[in-house]
Amino acid sequence: KQEVTQIPAALSVPEGENLVLNCSFTDSAIYNLQWFRQDPGKGLTSLLLIQSSQREQTSGRLNASLDKSSGRSTLYIAASQPGDSATYLCAVNTGNQFYFGTGTSLTVIP
Amino acid sequence: DAGVIQSPRHEVTEMGQEVTLRCKPISGHNSLFWYRQTMMRGLELLIYFNNNVPIDDSGMPEDRFSAKMPNASFSTLKIQPSEPRDSAVYFCASSLVESYEQFFGPGTRLTVL
């Protein structure tokens, strides 16, 4: 069974700092990987989707990378802002199964 | 363009009662997912449909839970009878089966007393 891990569980950084969130998975046979953010009491908002054939995807200040062989994905956030404060989750799709990490709670301090 | 719509947004019921949660996926999407989120267990996939057909219901916790998708624009998740341990936030998500890029609804917060 695929296991998805996100470390650290919580992260606090000063505004303007660049940061990296990590997502690890145990089985490299994945179809794609998706990053989400979740604000308190809200649903999940899709940030980036990386197909298994891709190495990275970019959207604005966000860049997600994928290394299937090592079972890792990273989400890079440039020039962090207080509005980036949220929980970030990664989800691995194996083609017919979907596994979510437990998330990293990010706080950006003004 | 409307996103995934869920109703009700909040539901408070008593143990033993039937609960029905509703979801309208994004128009044109042909995959639909039901998830449950709790502090203890995180986000769990309960069931998903492709083209209105249930593909994997291995996450449905018990026979008390059932899900239907009678057409491409509507799905229900029913709990009968409900129990306090069913208290959670239930999310519906939809995607194109070709990409499985999932878009989530706002969720239904269920409290079973």
Side-chain angles (χ1 to χ4, degrees):
Chain A
K1 179 186 174 184
Q2 180 77 264
E3 292 186 7
V4 182
T5 305
Q6 293 185 251
I7 296 174
L11 181 64
S12 183
V13 300
E15 181 178 2
E17 191 164 296
N18 302 326
L19 60 101
V20 174
L21 305 180
N22 297 298
C23 173
S24 300
F25 47 94
T26 53
D27 188 343
S28 62
I30 68 170
Y31 183 74
N32 61 35
L33 185 146
Q34 191 169 0
W35 281 94
F36 298 88
R37 69 174 280 168
Q38 185 174 28
D39 294 284
K42 304 291 187 181
L44 280 70
T45 300
S46 177
L47 297 174
L48 289 164
L49 175 76
I50 309 178
Q51 300 293 347
S52 62
S53 59
Q54 297 175 316
R55 297 285 294 188
E56 64 179 83
Q57 280 286 334
T58 298
S59 176
R61 294 183 294 110
L62 305 180
N63 176 279
S65 68
L66 175 64
D67 184 344
K68 286 197 306 177
S69 62
S70 65
R72 293 186 60 192
S73 176
T74 62
L75 180 66
Y76 174 84
I77 303 177
S80 59
Q81 303 170 357
D84 295 331
S85 298
T87 296
Y88 290 79
L89 298 99
C90 65
V92 170
N93 171 13
T94 61
N96 58 4
Q97 289 287 327
F98 302 85
Y99 301 93
F100 277 78
T102 51
T104 294
S105 177
L106 173 66
T107 302
V108 180
I109 303 167
Chain B
D1 190 18
V4 176
I5 299 173
Q6 292 187 246
S7 65
R9 295 293 310 277
H10 302 271
E11 177 81 28
V12 180
T13 189
E14 293 187 347
M15 183 174 63
Q17 295 298 305
E18 178 178 296
V19 175
T20 299
L21 310 182
R22 297 173 176 79
C23 175
K24 177 178 171 58
I26 293 172
S27 178
H29 280 185
N30 48 13
S31 287
L32 184 139
F33 307 79
W34 282 102
Y35 289 91
R36 177 172 67 177
Q37 187 177 41
T38 61
M39 289 293 291
M40 290 294 294
R41 300 173 67 91
L43 200 61
E44 302 173 282
L45 176 64
L46 301 177
I47 185 171
Y48 77 96
F49 298 81
N50 283 349
N51 298 306
N52 313 337
V53 176
I55 302 301
D56 185 0
D57 65 354
S58 59
M60 296 285 264
E62 302 171 28
D63 291 345
R64 298 184 296 108
F65 285 68
S66 62
K68 295 182 179 180
M69 192 163 187
N71 57 61
S73 59
F74 183 66
S75 178
T76 59
L77 178 68
K78 186 176 295 186
I79 308 173
Q80 166 64 16
S82 59
E83 297 183 1
R85 60 193 169 117
D86 301 331
S87 298
V89 180
Y90 290 81
F91 288 105
C92 176
S94 71
S95 76
L96 291 171
V97 70
E98 293 81 2
S99 70
Y100 282 132
E101 181 175 8
Q102 297 184 48
F103 295 88
F104 278 69
T108 295
R109 182 172 295 276
L110 174 65
T111 302
V112 183
L113 304 175

